[in-house]
Amino acid sequence: MNKKSIYLDYNATTPLRAEPLDAMRPYLSDVFGNASSMHVFGQQARKGLEDARQAVARCVNAQKPGEIIFTGCGTESDNMAIKSVARANKARGNHIITSSIEHHAVLATCEYMRSEGFQVTVLPVDSSGRVSPLEVKRNIQPSTILVSIMHANNEVGVIQPVAEIGKIIAGENDSRAAAGRGQVLFHTDAVQTAGKIPIDVQAMGVDLLSLSAHKFYGPKGVGALYIKRGTVIEPLLHGGHHEANLRAGTENVAGIVGMAAALELAVAEQQAEQARLLALRQKLENGIMSSIPSVYVNGHSLERLAGTLSVSFEFIEGESLLLSLDLKGIAASTGSACASGTSEPSHVLSAMGVPPECAQGALRFSLGRGTTEKDIDYVLETLPPVVDRLRRMSPLWKQNPV
Ligand SMILES: *Cc1c(COP(=O)(O)O)cnc(C)c1O
């Protein structure tokens, strides 16, 4: 690895911070007990686990620590939210609503549920990448049991009107309750927002919310799912009685402790850090727009995560640009890490109506704690000649001189 490379792919993953690593250390050595064991070794591990549960519950404003279940990753949390709720509530309905810009962990899971007899409505988004709360309302049917709409998108950073959707679902549930009918449950994938913008499960009106530690400077391989008290859900994994019988498997106590420490820190520093990142992103965005012709910013101009910038460079392939920048010591992304390796344009940009030739030329810069003004200056100095060189090689560019 090139030691001097500038990392601008924080939406894919983040480095583990020193503080969570320090918090984890005892649980990787001396405090090795199984949190389910009754003896003192188990009790010590149990204490770390339950303190972490309380901390995560506080960070999302859950009413009770028991509403937090620890999982193996954000993908598992999303799978559990959808499969476990759908299966447990199938007797009263088989309809699920989601959106076309969800992470694959949600979209592919919803698609899979069709094979178990569920009907899935995939809502469109507008050109700014937002789901309309009214579209959610219009698509709720008597058979609807679950709505899953993400809090903010990983590719373009667009923040969804989750609290407004929560209000619409609450209204529907009031009339259902009056008629003695079961509720519509609401899940949001908050993997990209935790530690970046405030998360309040009560104000958002969600029943389920997914988190992943490695997106906020915690360790990889640990996630959490908020499940509101009283939600009817069945386990995804069967086995022991861990996690209130909802997730069998000996808890990854060290990872969980690291997750809680990382989240508390990110939330405490959230406001100041996001203001810093917003200034850096605006500098990057303005610099690109003013120095390179035929470029477009993807996603809502205001309702967007501070550190995310998706730009389409017309007449070139995002993948070629990514590789050229990598050689110059700049690590960006063509969209989501999970979609790379395929030549298909991003499903998110397609859903936003970005024409295929622009979607192919998209590059995502995602900024984070390590990003400095010097890094942005280097990108702004490096990018224009690289784009120019690639365009000169492109037959499309020659046909479309600016
Ligand atoms: C990264 C990500 C996930 C998956 O989380 P993992 O912990 O990597 O499985 C899910 N949703 C969104 C929005 C993400 O950005």
Side-chain angles (χ1 to χ4, degrees), residues 159-289:
I159 300 166
Q160 301 299 325
V162 167
E164 282 174 66
I165 295 168
K167 283 200 184 73
I168 282 169
I169 292 172
E172 165 73 15
N173 284 338
D174 283 346
S175 49
R176 281 189 177 200
R181 291 172 37 232
Q183 306 241 304
V184 177
L185 296 168
F186 184 22
H187 166 247
T188 194
D189 174 341
V191 170
Q192 280 300 336
T193 51
K196 295 178 187 160
I197 59 177
I199 292 184
D200 180 332
V201 289
Q202 297 182 57
M204 290 156 80
V206 295
D207 302 287
L208 303 117
L209 180 139
S210 302
L211 299 171
S212 174
H214 77 94
K215 299 292 174 77
F216 47 75
Y217 309 92
K220 290 171 181 61
V222 54
L225 181 64
Y226 159 79
I227 309 172
K228 190 179 171 181
R229 258 186 316 171
T231 304
V232 178
I233 187 162
E234 62 174 51
L236 202 57
L237 302 186
H238 297 87
H241 300 294
H242 316 87
E243 298 297 288
N245 286 322
L246 281 174
R247 204 269 185 182
T250 301
E251 288 92 349
N252 169 8
V253 178
I256 289 166
V257 166
M259 175 178 201
L263 184 58
E264 282 190 303
L265 207 52
V267 168
E269 296 175 354
Q270 186 165 271
Q271 233 178 338
E273 175 62 4
Q274 295 307 302
R276 189 186 78 86
L277 291 180
L278 182 61
L280 290 178
R281 185 200 87 202
Q282 278 167 341
K283 176 171 178 164
L284 179 62
E285 184 170 333
N286 295 339
I288 291 173
M289 298 304 283

Side-chain angles (χ1 to χ4, degrees), residues 71 73-82 187 209-211 223-225:
T71 67
C73 58
T75 300
E76 185 189 329
S77 297
D78 285 342
N79 270 260
M80 183 171 175
I82 295 159
H187 166 247
L209 180 139
S210 302
L211 299 171
L225 181 64

Side-chain angles (χ1 to χ4, degrees), residues 23-35 40-49 253-254 257:
M24 290 167 73
R25 250 185 256 278
Y27 298 90
L28 292 165
S29 54
D30 299 346
V31 192
F32 64 88
N34 185 319
V40 65
F41 294 86
Q43 289 164 24
Q44 287 175 338
R46 167 67 58 184
K47 169 109 174 54
L49 175 61
V253 178
V257 166

Side-chain angles (χ1 to χ4, degrees), residues 47-351:
K47 169 109 174 54
L49 175 61
E50 296 311 325
D51 285 352
R53 199 185 308 280
Q54 269 184 23
V56 173
R58 261 196 316 273
C59 287
V60 300
N61 197 29
Q63 283 185 308
K64 291 259 171 13
E67 293 175 317
I68 302 296
I69 294 295
F70 290 107
T71 67
C73 58
T75 300
E76 185 189 329
S77 297
D78 285 342
N79 270 260
M80 183 171 175
I82 295 159
K83 290 179 181 162
S84 302
V85 160
R87 289 170 182 165
N89 293 276
K90 197 172 180 180
R92 54 184 194 81
N94 71 339
H95 182 231
I96 300 169
I97 298 174
T98 188
S99 85
S100 48
I101 48 117
E102 299 299 309
H103 189 275
H104 287 296
V106 166
L107 261 186
T109 303
C110 287
E111 289 298 333
Y112 173 78
M113 293 316 282
R114 293 186 201 268
S115 71
E116 293 190 10
F118 290 90
Q119 292 188 325
V120 182
T121 299
V122 182
L123 296 179
V125 292
D126 63 19
S127 59
S128 78
R130 300 246 294 172
V131 174
S132 151
L134 283 177
E135 275 290 301
V136 175
K137 191 184 170 94
R138 272 199 332 110
N139 281 279
I140 294 177
Q141 304 165 16
S143 61
T144 307
I145 50 170
L146 176 67
V147 175
S148 183
I149 306 286
M150 74 197 316
H151 195 193
N153 180 267
N154 44 303
E155 289 187 30
V156 289
V158 175
I159 300 166
Q160 301 299 325
V162 167
E164 282 174 66
I165 295 168
K167 283 200 184 73
I168 282 169
I169 292 172
E172 165 73 15
N173 284 338
D174 283 346
S175 49
R176 281 189 177 200
R181 291 172 37 232
Q183 306 241 304
V184 177
L185 296 168
F186 184 22
H187 166 247
T188 194
D189 174 341
V191 170
Q192 280 300 336
T193 51
K196 295 178 187 160
I197 59 177
I199 292 184
D200 180 332
V201 289
Q202 297 182 57
M204 290 156 80
V206 295
D207 302 287
L208 303 117
L209 180 139
S210 302
L211 299 171
S212 174
H214 77 94
K215 299 292 174 77
F216 47 75
Y217 309 92
K220 290 171 181 61
V222 54
L225 181 64
Y226 159 79
I227 309 172
K228 190 179 171 181
R229 258 186 316 171
T231 304
V232 178
I233 187 162
E234 62 174 51
L236 202 57
L237 302 186
H238 297 87
H241 300 294
H242 316 87
E243 298 297 288
N245 286 322
L246 281 174
R247 204 269 185 182
T250 301
E251 288 92 349
N252 169 8
V253 178
I256 289 166
V257 166
M259 175 178 201
L263 184 58
E264 282 190 303
L265 207 52
V267 168
E269 296 175 354
Q270 186 165 271
Q271 233 178 338
E273 175 62 4
Q274 295 307 302
R276 189 186 78 86
L277 291 180
L278 182 61
L280 290 178
R281 185 200 87 202
Q282 278 167 341
K283 176 171 178 164
L284 179 62
E285 184 170 333
N286 295 339
I288 291 173
M289 298 304 283
S290 62
S291 62
I292 305 174
S294 298
V295 290
Y296 306 92
V297 174
N298 299 307
H300 201 282
S301 55
L302 298 174
E303 296 295 329
R304 183 143 52 94
L305 294 174
T308 306
L309 176 63
S310 166
V311 206
S312 283
F313 298 84
E314 269 195 292
F315 313 113
I316 49 179
E317 292 278 331
E319 205 118 307
S320 326
L321 187 51
L322 177 91
L323 295 173
S324 300
L325 287 179
D326 191 38
L327 292 175
K328 302 263 180 201
I330 298 169
S333 161
T334 49
S336 71
C338 328
S340 59
T342 69
S343 57
E344 308 235 318
S346 130
H347 70 285
V348 174
L349 297 178
S350 302

